[in-house]
Amino acid sequence: MMLVAEVARQAGLFDWLAVAAAEHAAGSARRLFDLVFLVGTVVTVLLSNDATAVVLTPAVYAVTRVVGAPPLPYLYVCAFIANAASFVLPISNPANLVVFGDRMPGLAPWLLDFAFP
């Protein structure tokens, strides 16, 4: 994941994403916060909490530089989402594999227990 993040940084992906997010937010701090929250949730659920922490965080920092916003609220939401959304699916947090091992529940029971919280 760290290698992917570094290659993406060198390719300018984070800067490109920053400009796209800034344009989509259209000057609204709330819209930018919601965008970071939504993207962070999707990245965490579909990839892993590590992907949010390692890949999304530099992109969010780049966005705050582009728009001149204070970075901490947006970086905090990355950390929050990396933890909170990592229980939506069993694959969202690699620690789930260690904790449950060969007793990993099926997807339906998992979603009943963790999807709402």
Side-chain angles (χ1 to χ4, degrees), residues 1 9-10 14 16 23 25 33-34 43 45 50 66 69 71 78 94 110 112-113 117:
M1 194 57 64
R9 185 194 65 76
Q10 288 181 2
F14 299 136
W16 179 83
E23 289 173 357
F33 188 88
D34 291 346
V43 168
V45 169
D50 296 338
V66 167
C78 285
W110 182 276
L112 285 173
D113 289 338

Side-chain angles (χ1 to χ4, degrees), residues 2 6 12 14 17 30 33 37 40-42 46 55 67 82 90 94 100 105:
M2 304 255 317
E6 179 57 21
F14 299 136
L17 288 172
R30 174 62 188 220
F33 188 88
F37 192 92
T41 300
V42 170
L46 298 180
V55 176
V67 300
F100 289 100

Side-chain angles (χ1 to χ4, degrees), residues 14-66:
F14 299 136
D15 295 329
W16 179 83
L17 288 172
V19 170
E23 289 173 357
H24 184 73
S28 168
R30 174 62 188 220
R31 194 174 301 136
L32 182 59
F33 188 88
D34 291 346
L35 180 64
V36 170
F37 192 92
L38 177 67
V39 170
T41 300
V42 170
V43 168
T44 300
V45 169
L46 298 180
L47 297 177
S48 75
N49 59 346
D50 296 338
T52 299
V54 174
V55 176
L56 186 64
T57 302
V60 168
Y61 184 73
V63 168
T64 60
R65 273 195 352 248
V66 167

Side-chain angles (χ1 to χ4, degrees), residues 77-96:
V77 79
C78 285
F80 173 76
I81 285 300
N83 288 309
S86 69
F87 291 102
V88 175
L89 294 177
I91 61 165
S92 302
N93 188 340
N96 294 336

